Amino acid sequence: MAVGQCAGGVVRAVVVYDGRVLLVAQPDRWGLPAGVPEAGETAAASAARAVYELTGYLVDGAQTLASPDGGTPAVVCQLLSESPSGGGSLARAQVRWVPLAEAVGHADVPVAVRSYLRGHMPA
């Protein structure tokens, strides 16, 4: 398997912009946008596709955060469009931007992502 290839499972996207993190509504909580990779798709490509399909925001997967326990990978994504297109499957009320400190406290945020966010919080 090539570097950056995803073996399957789910990939989470970490979209940070202007001191905030993108979260999407899930059945019983808010969480990071996530999707299942397609055959041969890298984790970065899967994360970018999931964000677009869910929210309409264009992003570019920039950095994969390795999970210390080998669990679900997360990809830090750069926001490419400040406004979403109309193509996202979620309604606007199901998409929100939260401050980094609030995102760190979400139970759905993996340890590797929490560490990354803490490192990017203002002093």
Side-chain angles (χ1 to χ4, degrees):
M1 183 174 295
V3 174
Q5 292 272 214
C6 195
V10 174
V11 174
R12 297 178 192 202
V14 182
V15 185
V16 177
Y17 179 72
D18 197 26
R20 299 172 297 150
V21 177
L22 181 67
L23 296 181
V24 296
Q26 297 176 355
D28 58 349
R29 66 190 185 288
W30 289 89
L32 298 170
V36 176
E38 294 179 354
E41 189 174 48
T42 65
S46 179
R49 180 179 49 78
V51 169
Y52 183 74
E53 289 176 355
L54 292 170
T55 69
Y57 283 106
L58 288 173
V59 300
D60 186 19
Q63 173 187 359
T64 301
L65 301 175
S67 176
D69 62 0
T72 303
V75 177
V76 176
C77 298
Q78 300 300 314
L79 185 66
L80 301 177
S81 63
E82 289 188 28
S83 298
S85 72
S89 64
L90 297 177
R92 282 193 176 259
Q94 295 175 295
V95 178
R96 69 179 183 161
W97 291 91
V98 301
L100 294 177
E102 184 179 332
V104 168
H106 275 272
D108 188 48
V109 176
V111 173
V113 175
R114 288 175 198 234
S115 295
Y116 175 84
L117 295 176
R118 282 187 188 112
H120 289 79
M121 291 171 62

